[in-house]
């Protein structure tokens, strides 16, 4: 059952080390500026993304739904989205598309005034017949502003019961991208330039890169019994590499995959991302309480402002021009 699988994913992500072996954000060094530009408390981190006004360039990215435990996590995330004025996404809504009784485990997020609420469905389902009706239902379920369509083919390949189908996918998505606001999203193996360009050209409005640096779904599936999970543990494109490659596409970018702190958001924006997406690094707080989650996100906001203070940026536009050095493994990729 999909809902049992989602609970298993949460448990494994809370209990096991499922990170890739290297976090490539550590290879991005922002250059220090001796005299800051503005008082730290006057640094402006507001931004607009997909038409929504955010108080900070932060997305709590897709993780869960489909289970009472997941409902509480989604509610905690939505409450923090409302309190802090940041974007949120729910996890794959497939379980509720297939079983109406599970709708409220996602729909709970619609009770909160979040500036940007993203729904989530998997790309392989669109190669298997999902279309307009499923997107409409998913969006109405959470009163979504836009939909993430996740491309998780590494996970599907490793997962014994995975959907390893892609035939007809792009043709199926094209009319939908003209009707709905769609975001192309990876889940930890990263978006390459050609795939992102393909989606841009059929009308997708943004890309969530979700590259290698944090959660490895090969690792998660390894702990669920996927024998090849170990072999493919570190498979994929590093998150900062994806941001650098995709910035020339001139489309809004969610920099994600391995973000841990406000310093990582600053690195991501300096490289060309628009907002930072966090998943597993916030899961343990979201699973505990909305107050714990809010406290951690507030710390992340201070860390971002500190980094901006120290690179002499008074707003996110100026942060884009911050100078940086790339070292170690990321350097091989560039
Ligand atoms: C417990 C868990 C469940 C996830 N479920 C989904 C999902 O349903 N849909 C999706 O698009 N991504 C899902 N993801 C992937 C994240 O949204 C994100 O792309 C990926 O974990 C990389 O970010 P991270 O390194 O910050 O965790 C999930 C991640 C975690 C940790």
């Amino acid at each position: 059952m999909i809902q049992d699988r989602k609970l298993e994913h949460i448990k494994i992500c809370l209990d096991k080390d499922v990170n890739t072996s290297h976090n490539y954000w550590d290879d991005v060094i922002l250059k220090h500026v001796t005299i800051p530009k503005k008082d730290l408390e006057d640094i402006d981190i507001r931004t607009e993304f997909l038409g929504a006004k955010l108080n900070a360039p932060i997305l709590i990215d897709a993780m869960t739904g489909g289970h009472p435990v997941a409902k509480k996590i989604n509610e905690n995330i939505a409450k923090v989205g409302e309190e802090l004025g940041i974007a949120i996404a729910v996890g794959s809504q497939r379980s509720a598309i297939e079983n109406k009784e599970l709708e409220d485990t996602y729909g709970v997020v619609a009770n909160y005034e979040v500036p940007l609420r993203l729904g989530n469905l998997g790309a392989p389902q669109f190669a298997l017949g999902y279309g307009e009706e499923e997107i409409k239902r998913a969006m109405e379920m959470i009163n979504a502003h836009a939909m993430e369509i996740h491309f998780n083919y590494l996970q599907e390949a490793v997962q014994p019961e995975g959907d390893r189908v892609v035939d007809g996918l792009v043709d199926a998505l094209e009319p939908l991208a003209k009707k709905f606001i769609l975001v192309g999203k990876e889940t930890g193996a990263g978006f390459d330039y050609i795939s992102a360009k393909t989606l841009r050209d059929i009308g997708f409005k943004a890309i969530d890169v979700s590259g290698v640096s944090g959660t490895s779904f090969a690792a998660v599936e390894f702990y669920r019994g996927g024998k090849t999970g170990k072999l493919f543990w570190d498979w994929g494109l590093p998150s900062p590499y994806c941001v650098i490659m995709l910035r020339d596409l001139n489309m809004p970018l969610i920099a994600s995959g391995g973000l841990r702190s406000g310093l990582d958001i600053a690195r991501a924006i300096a490289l060309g991302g628009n907002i930072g997406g966090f998943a597993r690094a916030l899961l343990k707080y979201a699973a505990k309480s909305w107050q714990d989650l809010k406290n951690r996100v507030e710390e992340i906001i201070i860390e971002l402002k500190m980094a901006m203070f120290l690179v002499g940026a008074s707003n996110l536009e100026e942060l884009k021009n911050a100078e940086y050095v790339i070292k170690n493994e990321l350097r091989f990729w560039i």
Side-chain angles (χ1 to χ4, degrees):
M1 297 264 278
I2 307 172
Q3 55 264 45
D4 297 335
R5 185 157 85 212
K6 294 303 290 183
L7 192 62
E8 251 185 287
H9 283 158
I10 293 285
K11 278 192 158 155
I12 290 168
C13 285
L14 284 171
D15 297 344
K16 303 272 188 213
D17 180 1
V18 291
N19 278 346
T20 54
S21 47
H22 183 62
N23 190 315
Y24 291 84
W25 294 109
D26 287 332
D27 296 343
V28 182
I29 311 292
L30 296 175
K31 282 198 194 170
H32 177 64
V33 167
T34 311
I35 304 179
K37 194 117 172 240
K38 268 236 160 106
D39 293 1
L40 191 139
E41 64 176 32
D42 291 334
I43 286 176
D44 182 3
I45 57 167
R46 288 169 304 168
T47 190
E48 221 177 285
F49 194 77
L50 293 176
K53 288 186 166 50
L54 306 181
N55 287 341
I58 297 177
L59 164 69
I60 304 179
D61 218 337
M63 280 190 277
T64 200
H67 193 279
V69 173
K71 179 177 174 181
K72 190 65 205 158
I73 293 176
N74 276 338
E75 181 165 24
N76 291 340
I77 290 173
K79 175 130 176 89
V80 171
E82 175 182 275
E83 293 260 327
L84 299 181
I86 60 173
I88 69 157
V90 294
S92 173
Q93 292 167 270
R94 182 177 160 201
S95 65
I97 296 287
E98 292 176 12
N99 177 0
K100 245 181 169 313
E101 282 175 18
L102 300 173
E103 282 188 356
D104 72 319
T105 65
Y106 303 90
V108 65
V109 303
N111 300 334
Y112 296 88
E113 288 203 18
V114 179
L116 182 60
R117 250 187 317 268
L118 302 176
N120 189 288
L121 283 173
Q125 260 45 61
F126 291 86
L128 290 167
Y130 272 26
E132 203 175 318
E133 194 195 317
E134 285 76 14
I135 294 207
K136 254 198 192 140
R137 271 191 59 201
M139 290 189 77
E140 280 168 14
M141 200 186 296
I142 66 158
N143 196 13
H145 301 93
M147 259 330 263
E148 289 180 335
I149 304 296
H150 68 254
F151 294 74
N152 63 331
Y153 282 103
L154 168 64
Q155 182 186 11
E156 300 287 355
V158 171
Q159 194 173 275
E161 71 274 30
D163 292 317
R164 298 133 175 194
V165 287
V166 69
D167 201 24
L169 174 62
V170 175
D171 290 342
L173 290 173
E174 183 160 12
L176 302 174
K178 308 253 181 304
K179 265 213 167 110
F180 303 97
I181 301 175
L182 300 188
V183 177
K185 175 180 183 299
E186 243 287 353
T187 60
F191 243 101
D192 69 288
Y193 181 87
I194 299 290
S195 300
K197 183 173 180 302
T198 301
L199 296 188
R200 185 198 66 182
D201 292 348
I202 64 168
F204 273 63
K205 300 295 184 297
I207 297 287
D208 180 335
V209 304
S210 278
V212 171
S213 278
T215 308
S216 157
F217 263 89
V220 174
E221 294 300 336
F222 168 75
Y223 286 115
R224 291 188 59 244
K227 289 198 182 102
T228 49
K230 211 159 208 167
L231 183 64
F232 288 92
W233 194 288
D234 284 327
W235 178 272
L237 309 169
S239 310
Y241 168 80
C242 297
V243 172
I244 292 169
M245 290 297 122
L246 269 48
R247 65 189 176 197
D248 294 337
L249 285 173
N250 283 324
M251 71 192 297
L253 288 185
I254 299 165
S256 59
L259 266 63
R260 302 150 295 186
S261 66
L263 172 55
D264 285 339
I265 305 180
R267 289 165 162 153
I269 292 176
L271 292 188
N274 295 84
I275 66 174
F278 291 74
R280 186 163 168 265
L282 293 180
L283 178 61
K284 65 172 188 247
Y285 303 99
K288 208 163 170 209
S289 72
W290 72 267
Q291 290 93 339
D292 282 280
L293 180 61
K294 180 167 176 253
N295 289 344
R296 179 60 199 134
V297 177
E298 281 175 334
E299 283 169 6
I300 287 173
I301 286 171
I302 299 289
E303 292 159 3
L304 169 62
K305 287 186 177 175
M306 283 169 65
M308 291 172 69
F309 186 64
L310 295 171
V311 298
S314 59
N315 56 46
L316 297 175
E317 272 311 302
E318 290 176 10
L319 178 57
K320 284 184 190 161
N321 298 324
E323 290 190 21
Y324 54 83
V325 176
I326 289 183
K327 62 168 190 169
N328 291 354
E329 296 194 30
L330 184 58
R331 213 183 154 83
F332 292 128
W333 282 84
I334 304 299

